Amino acid sequence: MEGTRLNKVGRLLQKELGDIFQKQAQGLSGVLISVSQVRVSPDLSVAKVYLSIFPSEKGTELLEAIRSQTKAIRFDLGQRVRHQLRKIPELTFFIDDSLDYIENIDKLLQK
């Protein structure tokens, strides 16, 4: 029961954060930011957000910019989900490098 609720909250946060990043990335040309996964703690106080950033060369600098704007992003998220959630979780952002890992494996297998 508890796992289902956490999954639903994670999917809601993933959808809304994806919309927020899509609107913010419109000002940046040639950059695509997508939310690949959101993991929520059992007490709904912390959400780990995994971002997939394309091109990956700009990943670290964009991640730092996003981390500096965490409070503003959390506020925007709170405005969007205030009717669904009572407490907005603290957000921590990480780079999801699984696509780079898969690409590296493919290159190794093609040799």
Side-chain angles (χ1 to χ4, degrees):
M1 183 68 178
E2 194 68 32
T4 304
R5 180 169 182 241
L6 291 179
N7 288 338
K8 285 183 180 182
V9 170
R11 284 193 310 252
L12 173 68
L13 295 178
Q14 181 179 0
K15 177 187 174 296
E16 296 299 335
L17 284 170
D19 290 345
I20 290 171
F21 286 128
Q22 184 179 13
K23 288 183 181 176
Q24 285 183 350
Q26 286 177 350
L28 304 171
S29 61
V31 174
L32 178 66
I33 301 172
S34 63
V35 180
S36 59
Q37 187 176 17
V38 176
R39 293 187 180 156
V40 184
S41 64
D43 62 352
L44 301 177
S45 64
V46 177
K48 293 181 180 180
V49 181
Y50 293 89
L51 301 173
S52 178
I53 300 173
F54 181 81
S56 59
E57 296 83 33
K58 296 182 180 182
T60 54
E61 70 181 60
L62 283 174
L63 183 65
E64 291 302 317
I66 289 169
R67 284 180 176 163
S68 68
Q69 296 292 320
T70 299
K71 288 186 179 184
I73 294 170
R74 185 173 180 236
F75 178 78
D76 290 343
L77 180 65
Q79 294 297 313
R80 290 170 171 253
V81 298
R82 65 177 181 247
H83 298 297
Q84 288 95 357
L85 296 177
R86 184 176 297 179
K87 181 178 179 184
I88 307 303
E90 293 290 329
L91 302 174
T92 53
F93 295 100
F94 301 96
I95 290 182
D96 182 18
D97 56 354
S98 61
L99 292 177
D100 295 334
Y101 180 74
I102 292 170
E103 186 177 317
N104 187 26
I105 296 294
D106 284 342
K107 285 180 185 176
L108 292 173
L109 290 175
Q110 289 177 0
K111 290 183 179 180

